[in-house]
């Protein structure tokens, strides 16, 4: 999933067990199904005791981890 500003998110969970791209998204956002061929390792950002993951959820109960950041800050 992309927010149209260069940030990218990957689905990591779904409440139904069946992921779908048929979701309502804000203007400028898009989603597409891509098959990855190797493990995607998402590391937290921050330093020391302050490490974070950005997580986004949609109206269908699907969760996404942000893995590409458009800027150098949160």
């Amino acid at each position: 999933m992309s927010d149209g500003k260069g940030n990218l998110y990957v689905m990591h969970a779904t409440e139904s067990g069946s992921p779908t791209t048929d979701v309502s998204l804000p203007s400028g956002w898009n989603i597409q199904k891509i098959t990855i061929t190797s493990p995607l390792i998402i590391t937290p950002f921050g330093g020391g005791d302050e490490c974070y993951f950005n997580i986004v959820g949609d109206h269908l109960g699907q969760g996404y981890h942000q893995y590409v950041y458009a800027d150098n800050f949160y």
Side-chain angles (χ1 to χ4, degrees):
M1 182 168 62
S2 169
D3 63 9
K5 297 178 182 178
N7 298 297
L8 300 178
Y9 309 81
V10 62
M11 185 185 295
H12 69 94
T14 178
E15 289 179 7
S16 71
S18 299
T20 181
T21 58
D22 187 24
V23 296
S24 297
L25 297 171
S27 178
W29 289 63
N30 65 65
I31 188 169
Q32 61 182 329
K33 182 178 178 179
I34 298 173
T35 302
I36 59 174
T37 57
S38 59
L40 177 61
I41 299 170
I42 301 172
T43 55
F45 64 90
D49 292 333
E50 298 184 11
C51 294
Y52 305 97
F53 293 98
N54 285 343
I55 299 175
V56 175
D58 66 28
H59 67 287
L60 298 177
Q62 300 178 132
Y64 309 81
H65 271 291
Q66 185 175 3
Y67 71 98
V68 172
Y69 300 87
D71 294 311
N72 291 330
F73 57 88
Y74 169 67

